Amino acid sequence: ETGVTQTPRHLVMGMTNKKSLKCEQHLGHNAMYWYKQSAKKPLELMFVYNFKEQTENNSVPSRFSPECPNSSHLFLHLHTLQPEDSALYLCASSLTRGGSGGPLHFGNGTRLTVT
Amino acid sequence: TQLLEQSPQFLSIQEGENLTVYCNSSSVFSSLQWYRQEPGEGPVLLVTVVTGGEVKKLKRLTFQFGDARKDSSLHITAAQPGDTGLYLCADPSGGSQGNLIFGKGTKLSVKP
């Protein structure tokens, strides 16, 4: 049990589909993050939310749309993805935003395959 | 944004062997975190080192922070199959807006 739960664990979708990834944390944290993990690349920060407000969009294409309805829940809405978007998508949380906000607690990720 | 170089990229060893993996940067770290990501799971924080020259031990894992705070190493003694995973170093203040940035990691495989 990591304290951060991601669903689904695996997702296969076509390029014309619309799907959503869900992340939930009950650690009392105020910052939540989406990371993309691809082979041979460092973990890439996609979005940061602090107290439900988006504080960073790291030049992510608009086919990825985040939503943070409250400090405990984070979604990543996906539409018209490309095969190169296939990756492990990790959600994380920390007490507050930024490296000084405490260590990151990660979920186990959603393995996304775009066909 | 600072770049973190980790080496080696891959390491495959037999159970019982010792190993060291490295994390380097051209810039000074304010502090450094080490995470381990086991297959099928998310990264989990192992340790944070803050002071130059600092050594921290976690059972069979020894973490060292360089005197100049530009490098760090992780030494595992008598590796076990349960040590298999991706070892990531991260700079808590290395990214834009002070966000955490990660190295590419060292993928360790310990064979029984």
Side-chain angles (χ1 to χ4, degrees), chain A residues 12 36-37 69 109:
Chain A
V12 179
K36 177 183 179 183
Q37 188 173 36

Side-chain angles (χ1 to χ4, degrees), chain A residues 2-51:
Chain A
T2 66
V4 179
T5 304
Q6 287 188 245
T7 54
R9 290 297 309 272
H10 301 272
L11 179 62
V12 179
M13 58 186 288
M15 289 190 283
T16 58
N17 290 159
K18 287 186 181 181
K19 296 284 184 184
S20 296
L21 310 185
K22 181 182 175 182
C23 177
E24 187 173 350
Q25 59 92 7
H26 296 289
L27 299 170
H29 290 168
N30 297 300
M32 295 188 78
Y33 310 77
W34 280 116
Y35 279 87
K36 177 183 179 183
Q37 188 173 36
S38 309
K40 300 181 182 178
K41 286 187 179 180
L43 276 166
E44 298 173 69
L45 179 63
M46 299 175 71
F47 301 104
V48 182
Y49 278 82
N50 199 39
F51 292 94

Side-chain angles (χ1 to χ4, degrees), chain A residues 9 37 56 97 99 103-104 107-108, chain B residues 35 37 40 42 92 96-99:
Chain A
R9 290 297 309 272
Q37 188 173 36
E56 188 159 345
R97 183 189 70 80
L104 295 185
N108 287 331
Chain B
Y35 289 78
Q37 184 176 16
S96 62
Q97 301 192 42
N99 288 311

Side-chain angles (χ1 to χ4, degrees), chain A residues 9 33 35 37 40-43 45 48 55-56 58 88 90 97-100 102-104 106-109, chain B residues 9-10 33 35 37 40-45 48 86 88 91-93 96-104:
Chain A
R9 290 297 309 272
Y33 310 77
Y35 279 87
Q37 188 173 36
K40 300 181 182 178
K41 286 187 179 180
L43 276 166
L45 179 63
V48 182
T55 60
E56 188 159 345
N58 220 15
L88 182 68
L90 288 161
R97 183 189 70 80
S100 57
L104 295 185
F106 284 89
N108 287 331
Chain B
Q9 204 173 341
F10 301 97
Q33 296 176 348
Y35 289 78
Q37 184 176 16
E41 299 185 7
V44 175
L45 179 69
T48 301
L86 180 68
L88 296 159
D91 181 353
S93 302
S96 62
Q97 301 192 42
N99 288 311
L100 200 70
I101 62 162
F102 288 86
K104 289 184 181 180

Side-chain angles (χ1 to χ4, degrees), chain B residues 38-76:
Chain B
E38 297 184 18
E41 299 185 7
V44 175
L45 179 69
L46 295 174
V47 77
T48 301
V49 287
V50 179
T51 308
E54 183 176 5
V55 176
K56 282 192 173 178
K57 293 196 174 184
L58 191 66
K59 297 183 181 177
R60 294 175 293 98
L61 277 61
T62 302
F63 303 85
Q64 189 155 5
F65 203 16
D67 291 338
R69 305 204 326 270
K70 295 174 76 172
D71 58 271
S72 181
S73 64
L74 158 58
H75 181 79
I76 302 179

Side-chain angles (χ1 to χ4, degrees), chain A residues 92-111:
Chain A
S93 69
S94 63
L95 193 56
T96 59
R97 183 189 70 80
S100 57
L104 295 185
H105 293 252
F106 284 89
N108 287 331
T110 294
R111 172 68 63 186

